[in-house]
Amino acid sequence: MGNVITTPAEFFERHGGTLEQAVAAIRGRHFWTPYPESPSPKVYGAEAAEQGRAAFEAHLDRDFPLDGPGRDERVVTERSPYGVELGVGYPHAGADALISAASKALPSWRDAGVRARTGVCLEILHRLNARSFEMAHAVQHTTGQAFVMAFQAGGPQAQDRGLEAVAYAYDMITHYAETVRWEKPQRKGGPLVMDKRFAVAPRGLALVIGCATFPTWNSYPGLFASLVTGNPVIVKPHPRAVLPLAITVAVAREVLAEAGLDPDTVLLAAERPEERLAADLATRPEVRVIDFTGSTAFGNWLEANATQAFVNTEKAGVNPVVIDSTDAYAGMLGNLAFSLSLYSGQMCTTPQNLFVPSGGIATDEGVKSPAAFAADLAAAVERLLADPARAVGILGAIASDEILARLENAGSLGETVLAPRPVAHPDFEKATVRTPAIVRVDAGRDDVFGREHFGPVSFVVATDDTDHALRLVRSTVGESGALTASVHSTDERVLDAARRTALEAGVNLSENLTGQVFVNQSAAFSDYHGTGANPAATASLTDPAFVAGRFSFVQSRRPV
Amino acid sequence: MGNVITTPAEFFERHGGTLEQAVAAIRGRHFWTPYPESPSPKVYGAEAAEQGRAAFEAHLDRDFPLDGPGRDERVVTERSPYGVELGVGYPHAGADALISAASKALPSWRDAGVRARTGVCLEILHRLNARSFEMAHAVQHTTGQAFVMAFQAGGPQAQDRGLEAVAYAYDMITHYAETVRWEKPQRKGGPLVMDKRFAVAPRGLALVIGCATFPTWNSYPGLFASLVTGNPVIVKPHPRAVLPLAITVAVAREVLAEAGLDPDTVLLAAERPEERLAADLATRPEVRVIDFTGSTAFGNWLEANATQAFVNTEKAGVNPVVIDSTDAYAGMLGNLAFSLSLYSGQMCTTPQNLFVPSGGIATDEGVKSPAAFAADLAAAVERLLADPARAVGILGAIASDEILARLENAGSLGETVLAPRPVAHPDFEKATVRTPAIVRVDAGRDDVFGREHFGPVSFVVATDDTDHALRLVRSTVGESGALTASVHSTDERVLDAARRTALEAGVNLSENLTGQVFVNQSAAFSDYHGTGANPAATASLTDPAFVAGRFSFVQSRRPV
């Protein structure tokens, strides 16, 4: 395992201030981040951008440097949505070899204790932060995100979410005494005295199943929550987005080895296409924790079949926007246009259904009928994306053929308000870039808007009135789930009703977003991502339930 | 709902000091209790015992005074193990009526907020404490526990466990800010400012399924954890032990009504024999939390079938004792004899398998072979139970015909070390009282000792050595579960190995108990009951996971 360079205790000591502030932030839920989201040379240094690019390019058409199970076989599965073949070869191991290696790592990782595990995790995050530019290219060329978004969401903001999970797990475990001398007074004679210890027993092996669109952001909470609570983690990336998680696993293994711990505490499970390695791993008795982001079908399959495990899924949803009235019509349109365009709507948080009362909405620019609102929204999107250079910076590239097909078919679902068009990328001529589609459908067509259309497809739905819209929010979210909801109204009673509807539907609500905060974005330490209270996800990032299911306290007691 | 006499805020204020100390105790895990366990007139007042008896007797052969669903139909199902027909008639409602009433109560209970819910729960516990003598008779004459035990375990200690759950839920919810003004600095211009609120959304309706042996102690944690987190609770008692939970539900409804809240927030679901009301309720989509104590078969059924719910089960296990060596042979025997005799072994925490090395154990009275140890243990039990008046105070009565049959059949399982004998009860001539059975079996007979024999049946198993015993602990607990484990050794290395085995098997360990602390007993606020880490139980009373799965945070945010 190499020579010990730094003990876990030293890592813990080194990052103690960060941990303390992170714990304060999850409790207080105020703004805080240790990982600057700006890719500016003033923040990350003059050389960082170029070094990161070079580090990324050095991975291409090579075997990725990673030891552990599967070294002798390689899989190559990635092609950039910008048109570049990545050609990176990853080790490939079967479920047996992965489970055997992770099982062997469990006792030493468990016995290291919560402070050592936390120190190791904090150092992993610190080193990932230093590699944010390399990660940005890796995320861009696997997911299709534009570079700046790939930097932010794939780098610092993902690291924030990982740190948030570390803080939750550390705070929860250390909230309760590790040892106590217990003294029970007796009516006669001295007290009964016992010494008690409370050890953290991890649930078992953990499996993180990554997605193709946010390989790091959606994986880090489960990865780090499982690690701090003592569970070795097998990271199974989506075959189209392996590199970001391979870098992550490599960093984790490097830190573990330096700390004298077993690197097999974190393993990469790259798979051949159609191998269904995730399903195989997920039903093994040793695998007791699963964090999954991806399709509703496989998420539901995991919930039904991986009954031996604590299963956290984030699947899909039909995110609603209720538009009742506004005193900032232009700001609202601009905000919505950006939300629908950002990363071509390929976010689980992108709004899908925009409910507008048939009688129109009162605005600071007069009453707007559903047709007028739809036309104005289409125009706002077109304005936002008029300049191709700016457009590709917002849209990124279409991540898969399925999404492209869905977009191209959107016009058949109703009356086209905004037809998608291709945008030429100035740097990548083979990139698949499209503007979003907006479609009008009747409120009766919940067979259309009641199911998810992942990607840049949204619907303007005329309702009888705002109450009707809220009822549709309740029914569609209750049936198909949602990661986000939003409302625009100048009427406090409507906002109250929307809040109650959101609470009953179990979905987080954003109200009157007309500026630079967007419903698709959630801030670590303050905003919950999902709730676990509707069909879109069984878990929220990151709340007490997300962490508590990963460990038990096992006690021993002895008379003194 | 009657006039409001006391607001929930007043209840919260009144019991604030108790709550604060309870929260400090669950964190520090030191000894603490607000509910004295001694049924002494000095503690509860000179009249309390007589008033409690009278209150109990007033219930007999009457309709129990409880309004709510099912008033018009009555079920009578209880007969005391001491030979008395109780004849109490309880309201009977079907699943539809219960779910409808509880669902109607949900919004007001949720919207009351965590402080109001906590205040109401603290007042319920306070009033239950005042009725501890009445409860003691109710528990004695449903479970067969002896009076003092019924007082302690059914009264103050059960109230402690309920308060512990209140403290966990309140502490977890209030650990995170309820509102925040979030300010994110921008590179240019003023910060982005948002006001955020985080509401507690209960998971849904909760179902508590009580058992026949500890109707209050095992039900209060789930009941109170669900209530504080906002879930209305349907309490389904075991048909043989309804009265203790009927009293509990009546007290809860009385407090709810006084506070101006919907009494249907807590409902009694008494059932006809063989009705399978629990199975019906448990699979309803509205029921999202289940707390169950009872048989392995039904617990496993719930885990497999109530997939819509957060399911906490406490089933059965094969609690091991590893005997390696001791410097207090007489104390060890006395302690074990009491543990095997207490409530006729009808506790999920009673030891079943006593592993002794074939080469004998070193003691302060010389080396003892397995045969000698078994004989000495049998003699210690006989000594403890020699006096009938003292014996019935420890043994209580046999709670069911199944347990009696199991006891009578014990001799066929191996070589009888101690044969059970009847004990005449001085007060209740029809009481079924028996001394325990101890049987010797070979280490190869894990077909016998590897499964649970609930009741006063235990096995002395000779092993190759203590390592062999620890391997058997690992395998039997891994397969059949355990709520407790214990070890006796004078060798720190053996104690370390036992602690590691217990950690890996996921069972709480008691070491060298030779005095007045018994492995069957766990102290609220300090000892965990179960771990959730072996097949005996999916939950621990009370840990973060027991509480966290009962609610979600649902947020709303708005720009300032």
Side-chain angles (χ1 to χ4, degrees), chain B residues 343-544:
Chain B
Y343 185 29
S344 296
Q346 299 170 120
M347 303 176 72
C348 53
T349 52
T350 304
Q352 175 177 302
N353 300 327
L354 297 91
F355 296 108
V356 187
S358 303
I361 52 173
T363 82
D364 52 326
E365 302 181 22
V367 172
K368 303 291 178 183
S369 69
F373 163 78
D376 291 344
L377 180 61
V381 171
E382 281 294 9
R383 253 193 324 277
L384 179 71
L385 305 175
D387 171 51
R390 186 177 178 210
V392 299
I394 295 168
L395 293 167
I398 300 293
S400 73
D401 294 342
E402 293 86 341
I403 295 172
L404 187 61
R406 199 175 295 132
L407 175 64
E408 287 173 345
N409 184 52
S412 70
L413 299 171
E415 178 193 332
T416 298
V417 174
L418 180 64
R421 59 173 172 82
V423 179
H425 198 294
D427 304 325
F428 302 101
E429 64 176 290
K430 289 189 193 160
T432 309
V433 184
R434 296 287 185 281
T435 61
I438 304 178
V439 178
R440 274 194 68 187
V441 295
D442 291 338
R445 296 305 305 277
D446 57 355
D447 60 315
V448 174
F449 66 81
R451 59 192 170 82
E452 189 183 46
H453 303 257
F454 187 78
V457 179
S458 57
F459 302 97
V460 174
V461 183
T463 63
D464 297 343
D465 52 23
T466 296
D467 276 352
H468 183 204
L470 293 176
R471 288 198 303 279
L472 287 172
V473 168
R474 185 77 197 271
S475 61
T476 54
V477 175
E479 194 130 320
S480 302
L483 268 305
T484 63
S486 51
V487 61
H488 288 270
S489 181
T490 57
D491 185 338
E492 281 297 333
R493 286 167 311 179
V494 170
L495 294 173
D496 282 349
R499 210 151 38 222
R500 170 167 285 264
T501 297
L503 179 60
E504 289 180 345
V507 62
N508 296 325
L509 181 71
S510 294
E511 301 167 22
N512 292 336
L513 296 184
T514 55
Q516 292 305 303
V517 173
F518 303 96
V519 66
N520 347 23
Q521 298 175 330
S522 68
F525 308 104
S526 182
D527 292 323
Y528 294 102
H529 174 74
T531 62
N534 73 56
T538 65
S540 173
L541 310 181
T542 299
D543 71 357

Side-chain angles (χ1 to χ4, degrees), chain B residues 233-406:
Chain B
V233 180
I234 299 170
V235 178
K236 208 296 290 172
H238 192 286
R240 290 203 305 268
V242 184
L243 185 56
L245 288 173
I247 294 170
T248 304
V249 169
V251 169
R253 294 174 61 89
E254 168 191 295
V255 175
L256 284 160
E258 274 188 37
L261 289 157
D262 189 341
D264 288 349
T265 301
V266 181
L267 293 164
L268 185 75
E271 65 178 335
R272 290 187 292 261
E274 313 304 329
E275 185 178 354
R276 288 188 65 79
L277 181 57
D280 189 359
L281 286 166
T283 47
R284 294 291 177 110
E286 298 89 345
V287 172
R288 302 295 313 283
V289 180
I290 297 174
D291 290 277
F292 165 77
T293 312
S295 72
T296 300
F298 191 51
N300 290 345
W301 186 91
L302 286 169
E303 291 168 27
N305 291 281
T307 49
Q308 85 291 355
F310 172 59
V311 177
N312 296 285
T313 61
E314 195 215 282
K315 297 169 292 186
V318 290
N319 303 319
V321 183
V322 173
I323 302 171
D324 173 76
S325 52
T326 179
D327 55 10
Y329 188 58
M332 179 182 85
L333 291 172
N335 188 285
L336 285 171
F338 189 84
S339 276
L340 299 180
S341 303
L342 182 63
Y343 185 29
S344 296
Q346 299 170 120
M347 303 176 72
C348 53
T349 52
T350 304
Q352 175 177 302
N353 300 327
L354 297 91
F355 296 108
V356 187
S358 303
I361 52 173
T363 82
D364 52 326
E365 302 181 22
V367 172
K368 303 291 178 183
S369 69
F373 163 78
D376 291 344
L377 180 61
V381 171
E382 281 294 9
R383 253 193 324 277
L384 179 71
L385 305 175
D387 171 51
R390 186 177 178 210
V392 299
I394 295 168
L395 293 167
I398 300 293
S400 73
D401 294 342
E402 293 86 341
I403 295 172
L404 187 61
R406 199 175 295 132

